[in-house]
């Protein structure tokens, strides 16, 4: 199975490579008649873009989204919604050296090994550039379920390395360039990131996600049980660099913790192999992100919305009109 689609009834299929002309996705199964505003999708994408200038990414992409189909007069038609983001900042020479060498810990080796051919530019399909379209699709799901249904999903950076970052305040989180929910901890996070930037190394992180459902839905979610957790786990584990997902059911909310591994590209010499399997040494250069867990926050939030949309449609199929019916 190719693994480019997620969801059964609310189904998203993504396409595109890091340095190809565009990335995008098709969202199939979105109910008709929902208000879809391209500016809402754009705002979600802007949240995923690096918010600290020069600090976290090698490239500068505007991530301007276009809606090509499935929306008429500002409403979903019930037909496939195609979302397109053109790649603009495509500097392929940056990657010429790794044409023959694999970055240890990066998924590009897996793609090459599996298919025997890969677009190596910027990691090709293995690049987390693909996560932008997950965020765009998640914005469609959240504009449906987040509006008027009393569902809320909130994610924050809960740990970076050994530094714990507990939730303090929603307004701190909204204002934070690094999705930290306690503004007092922001300087410690910056100091830690500066250390990793200076040393050339990278650091892992944990993202917490709190999900609140309105009472009738929460009751049904109890019955969904493992089904829903299975769906959520699958969606979250499918995000690049995610290594573990933990569920914690509180009285009135579901809290999830997601472990994100350190950035594979580091400014340190790493032992690797070339395409012929010969040992080699690789050191990546240029600007780089010492902690990808930060940019994973809006991506993971989007995956939760996508799973919720799929689960709600599955429930509707069983109990017609029972959940969020009448949209
Ligand atoms: C938001 C995000 C940004 C990422 N940025 C980078 C990056 O700049 N450099 C890098 O080497 N890997 C980056 N990655 C990880 C790669 O996408 C790669 O696919 C990942 O290491 C695959 O790991 P896995 O096979 O263990 O899931 C990023 C991951 C995410 C979620």
């Amino acid at each position: 199975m190719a693994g480019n689609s997620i969801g059964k009834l609310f189904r998203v299929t993504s396409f595109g490579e890091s340095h190809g002309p565009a990335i995008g996705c098709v969202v199939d199964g979105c109910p008709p008649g929902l208000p879809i505003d391209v500016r809402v999708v754009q705002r979600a994408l802007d949240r995923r873009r690096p918010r600290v200038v020069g600090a976290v990414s090698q490239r500068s992409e505007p991530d301007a989204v276009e809606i090509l189909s499935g929306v008429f007069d500002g409403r979903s038609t019930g037909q496939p919604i195609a979302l397109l983001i053109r790649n603009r900042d495509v500097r392929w020479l940056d990657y010429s050296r790794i044409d023959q060498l694999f970055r240890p810990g990066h998924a590009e080796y897996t793609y090459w090994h599996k298919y025997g051919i890969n677009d190596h530019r910027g990691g090709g399909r293995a690049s987390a550039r693909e996560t932008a379209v997950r965020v765009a699709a998640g914005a469609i799901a959240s504009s449906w379920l987040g509006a008027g249904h009393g569902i809320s999903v909130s994610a924050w950076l809960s740990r970076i390395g050994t530094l714990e970052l507990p939730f303090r305040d929603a307004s701190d989180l909204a204002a934070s360039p690094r999705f930290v929910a306690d503004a007092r901890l922001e300087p410690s996070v910056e100091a830690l990131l500066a250390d990793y930037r200076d040393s050339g190394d990278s650091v892992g992180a944990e993202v917490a996600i709190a999900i609140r459902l309105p009472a009738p839905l929460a009751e049904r979610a109890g019955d969904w049980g493992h089904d829903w957790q299975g769906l959520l786990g699958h969606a979250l584990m499918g995000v690049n660099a995610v290594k573990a997902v933990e569920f914690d059911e509180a009285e009135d909310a579901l809290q999830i913790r997601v472990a994100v591994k350190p950035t594979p590209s580091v400014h340190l010499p790493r032992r690797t192999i070339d395409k012929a399997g010969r040992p080699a040494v690789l050191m990546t250069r240029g600007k780089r992100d010492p902690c990808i867990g930060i940019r994973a926050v809006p991506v993971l939030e989007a995956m939760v919305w996508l799973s919720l949309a799929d689960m709600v449609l599955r429930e509707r199929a069983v109990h017609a009109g029972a959940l969020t019916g009448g949209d």
Side-chain angles (χ1 to χ4, degrees), residues 83-100:
L83 302 168
L84 191 80
I85 302 168
R86 293 178 201 276
N87 290 325
R88 304 280 184 203
D89 184 12
V90 176
R91 288 168 291 182
W92 356 338
L93 285 177
D94 290 357
Y95 296 95
S96 53
R97 252 178 60 78
I98 53 173
D99 172 7
Q100 295 300 324

Side-chain angles (χ1 to χ4, degrees), residues 6 23 36 47 56 80 83 129 131 195 210 225 242 244 248 258 309:
I6 188 139
I23 53 170
I36 307 280
R47 244 184 112 227
V56 293
L83 302 168
R129 177 107 192 92
T131 59
D195 280 353
V242 167
D248 179 13
V258 181

